Amino acid sequence: MSTEYEAVIGLEIHVQLSTRTKMFCGCELSFGDEPNVHTCPVCLALPGVLPVPNEKAVQYALQIGAALGCELSPVSTFDRKNYFYPDNPKAYQITQATYPFAVNGRLGEVRIHHAHLEEDAAKTIHTGGGGRISGSDASEVDFNRGGTPLVEIVTEPDLRSGAQVREWGQLLRATIRQLGVSDVNMEEGSLRCDANISVRPVGSDELGTKTELKNMNSFRFIERGIEAEVTRQKEVIAAGGEVEQETLHFDPSTGELHSLRSKEEAHDYRYLPEPDLVPVVPSPETLEMAKSSLPELPAARARRYEEIGVSGQAALLLSFEVEWAEYFEGVLEAGTGIDPRVAANWVTGELAAELRRQDDRPLAESKVGPAALATLINMVAEKKISHGSGKSVLEEMVSSGAEPESVVAEQGLEQISDSGELERIVIQAIEDNPKPAEQVRSGNEKAIGALVGAVMKATQGRADGGEVNRLLRQHLGL
Ligand code: ADP
Ligand code: ZN
Ligand code: MG
């Protein structure tokens, strides 16, 4: 029997902090401004300048460390990571290599090895023709980004699939977003994720040789990139080969992996302690504040929702965005006796879908408040209208902002509660559709669908599905 292999994945996530100014100088942070307007001698690395740490960045970093359940270091230090590239004018990046500000955390099922502070590189732009220096291919550098405060989060290799990485990544993003310390926007690069990937025989606890998948701008692409790389590694091993250490890029448009550099070309960063900066020594009060000021984070919120009966999937969806969570809680408050599970399904299912359909409207601009939705949910729960009618009432509510009672009255959607009337319609439907009726009678129960459809059409969806089924079966002799 051939050996089964499993994927082993560890992540390195870069989070740009949304401070007003850069990590070691007073230049403003900006995204999308003219190139090279937010620069100064420090972030351009002119001779003779000295870095001054941004206190707010340290505070934000400590909040992230606390939210990830890390031990916050009473002392952390900066190091120089040496490499030569145009995005790095000092020829070294200031980072924390030996004593990071936070260690040994956990978020959900994934352990956090550590988190450290560093400065971002400038942005290189490959112009492919329009370069100012040579008319042809050129690379230009925008130093606006250079020196932006970054927190790098390094996980233990605890993840096992691309899908798990996507889900966990979304939880991480939601957690940091809730702290308000970063935009965590992957398309704009304020959240960037590298995945380290290896495979090993199931049951082994040794680590295989890993490759590193660089910098993709969405968790969907990361998921697909990881799946492609895991498949590739398994194939290499199945063919009797060995995985080689290399850095890869995944092209989501073709689904292909390209090698960026191999082990031989790997950098030696010659880390050195940064002599121009004293250690970071937060006061005990600062450390305490970082922990005690945490809001309820998505993981805890999701757990709380599951405890009141919300399905796991809906609980997570609601918890990822505070405004959705608050909306959901508004529905529960407004609707006495409302079932949280049912309410969560309306909010994350029907309402979310309807907003998407109608101009992809954000929740904040929804014309349907939590109280109106609660009323609608109760009307369905009390069988005043059918579930199908409920959906079309919601469609009207989302588009016009009308109250559910008036939409129901205007469109005449009250469920047919007179069972005599419904029974007449059922009998008529059987008469009008002899073929499916015969099929049902001779044992093909699925054919009942056509009759249910006929009744729903005749009643314009105003009949209770369960009742229609019951009456049809009764009259067909089932
Ligand atoms: P490096 O020295 O190459 O930077 P580290 O040990 O610092 O490697 O780990 C960097 C990241 O790679 C971490 O997220 C870690 O969990 C992950 N990692 C390390 N070894 C493996 C492996 N064999 N397979 C998958 N991930 C790994
Ligand atoms: Zn500057
Ligand atoms: Mg490392």
Side-chain angles (χ1 to χ4, degrees), residues 111 162 331:
R111 290 168 300 156
V331 172

PDB file of all heavy atoms in Angstrom, residues 111 162 331:
ATOM      1  N   ARG A 111      -1.367  27.855  16.652  1.00  0.00           N
ATOM      2  CA  ARG A 111      -0.464  28.511  17.601  1.00  0.00           C
ATOM      3  C   ARG A 111       0.327  29.611  16.888  1.00  0.00           C
ATOM      4  O   ARG A 111       0.715  29.456  15.742  1.00  0.00           O
ATOM      5  CB  ARG A 111       0.510  27.481  18.198  1.00  0.00           C
ATOM      6  CG  ARG A 111      -0.143  26.482  19.152  1.00  0.00           C
ATOM      7  CD  ARG A 111       0.811  25.351  19.462  1.00  0.00           C
ATOM      8  NE  ARG A 111       1.189  24.642  18.224  1.00  0.00           N
ATOM      9  CZ  ARG A 111       2.312  23.934  18.068  1.00  0.00           C
ATOM     10  NH1 ARG A 111       3.176  23.826  19.057  1.00  0.00           N
ATOM     11  NH2 ARG A 111       2.568  23.333  16.915  1.00  0.00           N
ATOM     12  N   GLY A 162      -5.422  24.208   2.236  1.00  0.00           N
ATOM     13  CA  GLY A 162      -5.664  25.548   1.716  1.00  0.00           C
ATOM     14  C   GLY A 162      -6.963  26.126   2.253  1.00  0.00           C
ATOM     15  O   GLY A 162      -7.033  27.306   2.598  1.00  0.00           O
ATOM     16  N   VAL A 331     -31.789  42.494  15.714  1.00  0.00           N
ATOM     17  CA  VAL A 331     -32.957  41.681  15.334  1.00  0.00           C
ATOM     18  C   VAL A 331     -33.447  40.890  16.543  1.00  0.00           C
ATOM     19  O   VAL A 331     -34.647  40.838  16.835  1.00  0.00           O
ATOM     20  CB  VAL A 331     -32.608  40.722  14.169  1.00  0.00           C
ATOM     21  CG1 VAL A 331     -33.753  39.741  13.918  1.00  0.00           C
ATOM     22  CG2 VAL A 331     -32.279  41.508  12.904  1.00  0.00           C
TER      23      VAL A 331
END
